[in-house]
Amino acid sequence: MKSIVTIGGGTGQFTLLSGLKKYPVRLTSIVSMADDGGSTGMLRDELGVLPPGDVRQCLVALSEADSIMRDLFNYRYDHGGLKGHSFGNIFLSSLEKITGSFEEAVRVAGLVLAIRGEVMPVTTSKVTLVCGKEKVLQGQYAIEMGRIEPERASIRLEPESYANPKAVAAIESADLIVLGPGNLYCSIIPNLLVRGIPEAIGRSHAGVVYNCNLMTKVGHNDGFSVLDFAGEIERYIGKGRIDFVTYNNHLPEKELVERYALEGEFPVAVGDIEEEFAEVSFRPLPADLVSRAALVRKEGDPIKRSLIRHNPEVLAALIVQNCLGGL
Amino acid sequence: MKSIVTIGGGTGQFTLLSGLKKYPVRLTSIVSMADDGGSTGMLRDELGVLPPGDVRQCLVALSEADSIMRDLFNYRYDHGGLKGHSFGNIFLSSLEKITGSFEEAVRVAGLVLAIRGEVMPVTTSKVTLVCGKEKVLQGQYAIEMGRIEPERASIRLEPESYANPKAVAAIESADLIVLGPGNLYCSIIPNLLVRGIPEAIGRSHAGVVYNCNLMTKVGHNDGFSVLDFAGEIERYIGKGRIDFVTYNNHLPEKELVERYALEGEFPVAVGDIEEEFAEVSFRPLPADLVSRAALVRKEGDPIKRSLIRHNPEVLAALIVQNCLGGL
């Protein structure tokens, strides 16, 4: 069975894994440990644990348990002392406190959720995402909410952290490494800032796919084209290391595009690739990647979700059919 | 396989079930829904759920899952917004919110914990334990902490509640019904105040065992003998309905007894039964029932636990050997 390693965090990983898990492949999801917002941030502060939120989303995506268990792990409280917490985060953090090991917590949660595949933290040390030299933004949440354009190249983890050896081994033995989709500086690059991860990607014989974002993010990558996104990734993993880039070539619904435009966010421009096709070292994989499914807000979920998302089935099919050289 | 129904709540049920589950019997644990203290009380207030705490203890007692899962369900937080909560309570209450049914929540938790047997709430309606006519104590926690002696006969549930039909069916078809051990007015009698429960015990052909407390409780049953305890139970289920009473006939360690004495609590007197043996309708089952195992306080558990407890193995053996007419 072919082995696919995905690298990322946040809802982008959830989407990707939800699609890929329908294929007969061995899935390993490597997850950023930089999150410090919302429920995850509260648990980090209060219990001194590693961030559970992104891992939870990957576990739920890979779960083959009853839908009640998946709903439970995503359940968010909107009242009282538990307000803002997600059940799955509490589950992971409590297991970490009991076992003394985040990895063991993830393993047990994986059993309870009957996951297909494996989820592993990119590092098991506690890190903070930091950006800026003059005006320093501390923490992933602050960076996600802030403007980082002038100093985005300074983004780093503090203290310096080292890769989870299991993640390194998975990357080295993979048939395919899939980066993103997800927030470029807050979900994807925090993995590539962990010492040992870019090196492992460099050593691995696996093909590398980068799933480019659908929309730009204000203050982070305004005006970025697909090539610009891919270029940022290659700044961390090495020029020419990307073999495939998937990107969207159909505009989302006008109403949604207008809503994003009010926030200063726009569909990622694709012109450059098609004009400069001969110049790029990767194979471009354009497709109509936008999900048309209306997102239903789950009861108890107070978080406002963006609505322009990848279609998990189309994305997974594009990757499996083009990047894996057969199943 | 013989069928045993236990009725109670709190740590007494945990002890009883921990012992009984080692025998090849079908176990059904019927649990009080009157608890409103601590983590359970907060969840009732904040999420509007049924009380999870007593059910959680029974589920953990019957669990055959990995010890990590049992530790997880009993884990209590001592920091931040989750302070005072137990993980298992959060688990049950979250499942109740998602499924809309406490019984369904208990069923799913039972699967996760791989329980042997079944746990069922005595009623599925929301009730408050109330005591007193002049000076009214509202809620199990207030009653547990208060003095109820002059008005203990007035103890009641508000609003009037009706038995869970599954609990009634289990009682009717049982081979043995086991009441207690546990706090008389706060854990045992709240089950007998539910309409339909005493009636079902009356109709059932099962033998009835009452496990008498080891110690009196100040302000609740000062000076009670074993006969007094049994008499209180029969006030609810009918005179002569108890077939067996287990009670302790060995003093606990002197140091522990002295510590309890400082709180006004004393070993339950056994003299009456032995003198008036001919008068009682039940068969007395005296034994050395006190656990000698030092209780280890689990990390993260801020609750002060009493230390004079039943020995689960001795209690279960006494019941199985004497009350069941063979396995």
Side-chain angles (χ1 to χ4, degrees):
Chain A
M1 200 183 276
K2 292 280 175 76
S3 165
I4 299 182
V5 169
T6 72
I7 300 179
T11 50
Q13 281 286 289
F14 178 85
T15 303
L16 175 68
L17 295 170
S18 301
L20 287 177
K21 82 162 169 183
K22 291 169 189 160
Y23 292 90
V25 292
R26 190 148 48 94
L27 285 172
T28 304
S29 170
I30 296 175
V31 184
S32 162
M33 287 289 102
D35 190 13
D36 58 8
S39 166
T40 287
M42 288 189 275
L43 292 166
R44 287 185 77 160
D45 288 349
E46 294 175 356
L47 303 180
V49 292
L50 283 164
D54 287 348
V55 163
R56 169 182 55 82
Q57 293 205 48
C58 293
L59 289 168
V60 171
L62 294 177
S63 171
E64 301 200 322
D66 196 280
S67 71
I68 290 176
M69 288 306 293
R70 285 180 278 132
D71 289 348
L72 176 62
F73 266 68
N74 278 335
Y75 184 74
R76 273 186 200 272
Y77 305 90
D78 51 7
H79 283 89
L82 298 171
K83 189 169 174 172
H85 278 298
S86 109
F87 173 83
N89 292 355
I90 292 175
F91 187 96
L92 285 162
S93 296
S94 307
L95 270 175
E96 180 180 349
K97 293 298 281 183
I98 289 166
T99 63
S101 156
F102 185 61
E103 283 187 278
E104 179 63 5
V106 175
R107 189 189 69 81
V108 173
L111 291 177
V112 170
L113 282 166
I115 65 164
R116 255 205 60 209
E118 213 173 340
V119 177
M120 46 182 74
V122 69
T123 179
T124 53
S125 53
K126 281 161 191 147
V127 294
T128 304
L129 195 65
V130 178
C131 189
K133 298 288 181 196
E134 307 259 306
K135 189 174 166 256
V136 175
L137 287 172
Q138 285 270 358
Q140 183 194 304
Y141 183 74
I143 291 169
E144 196 170 336
M145 295 295 133
R147 295 193 160 263
I148 62 166
E149 272 169 343
E151 302 199 286
R152 61 190 161 214
S154 73
I155 201 159
R156 60 199 181 273
L157 293 174
E158 289 183 358
E160 199 165 49
S161 69
Y162 296 86
N164 177 352
K166 288 185 192 158
V168 169
I171 289 169
E172 286 177 346
S173 65
D175 295 299
L176 190 68
I177 297 165
V178 186
L179 296 157
N183 183 311
L184 183 63
Y185 297 103
C186 293
S187 293
I188 316 302
I189 288 174
N191 290 288
L192 308 179
L193 293 170
V194 174
R195 281 192 123 184
I197 295 297
E199 294 83 347
I201 296 174
R203 278 194 303 277
S204 176
H205 296 293
V208 173
V209 191
Y210 168 58
N211 297 309
C212 187
N213 292 37
L214 305 174
M215 306 292 289
T216 61
K217 178 160 173 63
V218 67
H220 280 223
N221 42 42
D222 301 300
F224 265 35
S225 67
V226 173
L227 273 189
D228 294 328
F229 272 98
E232 278 295 273
I233 295 289
E234 289 200 335
R235 200 144 63 79
Y236 294 92
I237 65 170
K239 183 120 186 81
R241 186 62 187 93
I242 296 179
D243 298 296
F244 308 91
V245 173
T246 73
Y247 60 95
N248 178 47
N249 63 356
H250 278 63
L251 278 185
E253 280 172 45
K254 192 161 166 259
E255 193 192 311
L256 284 176
V257 171
E258 283 169 359
R259 198 189 301 168
Y260 275 70
L262 291 175
E263 312 270 338
E265 302 190 334
F266 302 94
V268 173
V270 301
D272 290 352
I273 290 186
E274 288 171 357
E275 282 167 26
E276 303 168 30
F277 187 87
E279 306 285 317
V280 302
S281 62
F282 55 79
R283 186 175 146 207
L285 296 172
D288 181 1
L289 283 171
V290 180
S291 171
R292 261 68 187 174
L295 278 187
V296 180
R297 221 177 94 167
K298 286 266 195 300
E299 198 215 340
D301 187 343
I303 288 183
K304 184 194 147 210
R305 307 273 177 202
S306 60
L307 287 159
I308 300 182
R309 289 287 165 81
H310 276 81
N311 178 321
E313 284 75 31
V314 175
L315 180 63
L318 190 66
I319 293 168
V320 171
Q321 286 161 17
N322 291 286
C323 313
L324 214 49
L327 284 172
Chain B
M1 200 182 275
K2 292 280 176 75
S3 165
I4 299 182
V5 169
T6 71
I7 300 178
T11 50
Q13 281 286 290
F14 178 86
T15 302
L16 176 67
L17 294 170
S18 301
L20 286 177
K21 81 162 169 182
K22 291 168 188 162
Y23 292 89
V25 292
R26 189 147 48 94
L27 284 172
T28 305
S29 170
I30 296 174
V31 185
S32 162
M33 288 288 102
D35 189 13
D36 57 9
S39 166
T40 287
M42 288 190 273
L43 292 167
R44 287 184 77 161
D45 287 350
E46 294 175 357
L47 303 180
V49 292
L50 284 164
D54 287 348
V55 162
R56 169 182 56 82
Q57 294 205 49
C58 293
L59 288 169
V60 171
L62 294 177
S63 172
E64 301 199 323
D66 195 277
S67 72
I68 291 176
M69 288 306 295
R70 285 178 279 131
D71 289 348
L72 176 62
F73 267 68
N74 278 335
Y75 184 73
R76 273 185 201 273
Y77 305 90
D78 51 8
H79 283 90
L82 299 171
K83 189 171 175 172
H85 279 298
S86 108
F87 173 83
N89 292 355
I90 292 176
F91 186 96
L92 285 163
S93 296
S94 307
L95 269 175
E96 180 181 350
K97 293 297 281 185
I98 288 166
T99 63
S101 156
F102 185 62
E103 283 187 280
E104 178 63 4
V106 175
R107 188 188 69 79
V108 173
L111 291 177
V112 169
L113 282 166
I115 66 165
R116 255 204 61 207
E118 212 173 342
V119 178
M120 46 182 73
V122 68
T123 178
T124 53
S125 53
K126 281 162 191 147
V127 294
T128 304
L129 195 65
V130 178
C131 189
K133 299 287 183 198
E134 307 258 307
K135 187 172 166 261
V136 176
L137 287 173
Q138 286 271 357
Q140 182 194 306
Y141 183 74
I143 291 169
E144 198 170 333
M145 295 295 133
R147 296 194 158 263
I148 62 167
E149 272 170 340
E151 303 198 286
R152 60 190 162 214
S154 74
I155 201 160
R156 60 199 180 274
L157 293 174
E158 290 183 355
E160 198 164 50
S161 69
Y162 296 87
N164 177 351
K166 288 184 193 160
V168 169
I171 290 170
E172 286 177 347
S173 65
D175 293 300
L176 189 68
I177 297 164
V178 186
L179 296 158
N183 183 312
L184 184 63
Y185 297 104
C186 293
S187 293
I188 317 301
I189 288 175
N191 290 289
L192 309 178
L193 293 170
V194 174
R195 280 194 124 184
I197 296 297
E199 294 83 346
I201 296 174
R203 279 193 303 277
S204 176
H205 295 294
V208 173
V209 191
Y210 168 58
N211 297 311
C212 187
N213 291 36
L214 305 174
M215 305 293 288
T216 60
K217 177 161 174 60
V218 68
H220 280 222
N221 42 43
D222 301 300
F224 265 36
S225 67
V226 173
L227 273 189
D228 294 328
F229 273 98
E232 278 296 273
I233 295 289
E234 289 200 334
R235 200 147 61 79
Y236 294 92
I237 65 169
K239 183 124 188 75
R241 185 63 187 91
I242 296 178
D243 299 296
F244 308 90
V245 173
T246 73
Y247 61 95
N248 177 48
N249 64 355
H250 279 62
L251 277 185
E253 281 171 44
K254 191 163 166 260
E255 193 192 309
L256 284 177
V257 171
E258 282 169 359
R259 197 189 304 168
Y260 275 70
L262 291 174
E263 312 270 338
E265 303 189 335
F266 302 93
V268 173
V270 302
D272 290 348
I273 290 185
E274 288 172 359
E275 283 168 26
E276 303 169 30
F277 187 87
E279 306 285 317
V280 301
S281 61
F282 55 80
R283 186 175 146 207
L285 297 172
D288 181 1
L289 282 172
V290 179
S291 171
R292 260 68 185 173
L295 277 187
V296 180
R297 220 177 93 168
K298 286 264 196 302
E299 197 215 341
D301 186 345
I303 288 183
K304 185 193 146 211
R305 308 271 176 202
S306 60
L307 287 159
I308 300 181
R309 288 286 165 81
H310 276 83
N311 179 321
E313 284 73 33
V314 176
L315 180 63
L318 191 66
I319 293 168
V320 170
Q321 286 161 17
N322 291 286
C323 312
L324 213 49
L327 284 173

